[in-house]
Amino acid sequence: MNFISMRKKSSKQLSQLRIVLIGRVGAGKTGLMKTILRSSKDYKEPDSESHLCVCSNTEKCHKEKVEIDNQEVVVVDTPGLCHSKKTDQEVMEEVKRCVSLASPGPHAFLIVLDEFKFTVELQNMVELIWKTFGKNAAKYALVVFTHKYELLDQSELGKADEIIKHKIKENSQLQQFVSECE
């Protein structure tokens, strides 16, 4: 996953790249945010880990801005869907607020998944995302798989890309969802 190289392929350079992370509780959105932010040579880890923790309890939106390869990148972390104490509709209200932090609008929705099974829970989550932002949001969506060390055997890590593609093809619903995300 390299957003900067994706941007460089386009003939028109954006003054700012705005990314919104969406996924269920514990999928790895905050960890992915930290990984993106660390791509900036100027990014400084916060003094307090509670500022941007790698945990499954993001309750409110969190926005960070860094420069990567002369490109301003805004990353917005959102609360997780499939929350045990809140309804998905309550969480989506906060997610909608989060999207406003990427004003005038996100260039990309990163839908963060931590498994290859397209469960009913994930199907419902995706339907809620499309219902909230419109089916057109799929044009700006990318699927990111996290937790590869937990998803794959140690022997598979060297061939992770091939294996992930194979696992997507094995599950027709997951394959359809990934292909919807242009």
Side-chain angles (χ1 to χ4, degrees):
M1 166 193 66
N2 188 336
F3 305 105
I4 304 306
S5 63
M6 286 175 26
R7 178 195 46 81
K8 285 181 180 176
K9 290 179 184 177
S10 118
S11 59
K12 182 179 177 184
Q13 184 166 353
L14 303 170
S15 62
Q16 187 181 70
L17 178 62
R18 296 178 300 277
I19 301 167
V20 175
L21 308 175
I22 300 177
R24 68 184 190 163
V25 170
K29 295 178 306 300
T30 303
L32 177 59
M33 180 180 194
K34 287 183 88 166
T35 299
I36 294 168
L37 296 174
R38 284 186 190 127
S39 298
S40 169
K41 63 182 182 226
D42 300 323
Y43 179 68
K44 304 269 190 281
E45 285 287 329
D47 292 335
S48 165
E49 273 302 308
S50 65
H51 174 69
L52 188 62
C53 66
V54 180
C55 50
S56 60
N57 64 359
T58 302
E59 296 286 331
K60 298 286 181 193
C61 305
H62 183 83
K63 173 182 170 180
E64 290 281 335
K65 196 182 307 188
V66 293
E67 186 175 306
I68 302 172
D69 291 340
N70 299 318
Q71 170 77 58
E72 185 177 77
V73 179
V74 175
V75 185
V76 179
D77 190 11
T78 65
L81 292 160
C82 308
H83 199 282
S84 62
K85 296 176 184 160
K86 295 181 180 180
T87 68
D88 282 346
Q89 286 71 23
E90 290 172 322
V91 174
M92 278 313 274
E93 285 304 312
E94 180 65 13
V95 170
K96 283 194 278 187
R97 194 182 78 70
C98 293
V99 170
S100 71
L101 294 175
S103 180
H107 292 104
F109 288 102
L110 299 188
I111 300 177
V112 182
L113 301 179
D114 61 341
E115 62 179 289
F116 295 116
K117 298 178 203 115
F118 204 62
T119 62
V120 172
E121 180 181 78
L122 287 177
Q123 290 173 33
N124 292 338
M125 180 188 81
V126 169
E127 285 177 29
L128 185 59
I129 292 168
W130 295 159
K131 182 180 172 186
T132 302
F133 299 110
K135 196 74 168 163
N136 211 22
K139 292 180 180 180
Y140 306 97
L142 296 152
V143 178
V144 178
F145 290 95
T146 57
H147 302 290
K148 83 175 172 185
Y149 293 104
E150 296 165 22
L151 292 173
L152 304 173
D153 296 330
Q154 290 294 331
S155 62
E156 298 175 318
L157 291 176
K159 303 176 191 171
D161 288 345
E162 292 173 37
I163 292 167
I164 289 170
K165 287 177 188 174
H166 177 72
K167 289 188 182 277
I168 291 169
K169 285 181 182 177
E170 285 181 337
N171 185 319
S172 62
Q173 292 172 316
L174 180 60
Q175 184 176 13
Q176 179 182 345
F177 167 62
V178 170
S179 68
E180 282 178 18
C181 298
E182 297 180 17

